[in-house]
Amino acid sequence: PTPQEQRVLRGHLDKLRRQYAADVAAARALVGVGEHSAPADLDPRALAAWTGVARVVLSLHETLTRS
C-alpha cells in the first residue's frame, strides 16, 4: 500500500479498535462466526478490529481484479 493508503487503513483500524473496546459483545459476535472458533488466547476486540481491516483490503479493486 502507498503511504496514503496505509494512513487510511491505520485510521480505520484505530476506529474499529475504539468501537470494539466499547462493545466487546459485538467483537465476540463477529469473531464467533465461521467454521472454526477463534483461539481463546486472542483478544476478541483486537481480532474483530483486524478482521475489519482485512475485509477492506480484500474488497479493494486491486485484490478483485485478475489482470
Side-chain angles (χ1 to χ4, degrees):
T2 66
Q4 180 182 2
E5 291 168 334
Q6 290 177 25
R7 283 191 298 278
V8 169
L9 290 172
R10 172 57 80 173
H12 187 57
L13 176 61
D14 292 343
K15 174 186 161 202
L16 291 172
R17 283 180 169 160
R18 288 190 303 275
Q19 176 183 329
Y20 290 120
D23 190 357
V24 71
R28 285 192 179 115
L30 176 62
V31 301
V33 174
E35 262 185 62
H36 301 284
S37 302
D41 62 332
L42 291 181
D43 180 353
R45 296 165 297 182
L47 186 54
W50 280 105
T51 298
V53 172
R55 291 168 74 179
V56 168
V57 171
L58 292 172
S59 295
L60 292 174
H61 178 73
E62 292 88 349
T63 304
L64 299 173
T65 304
R66 297 181 191 196
S67 51

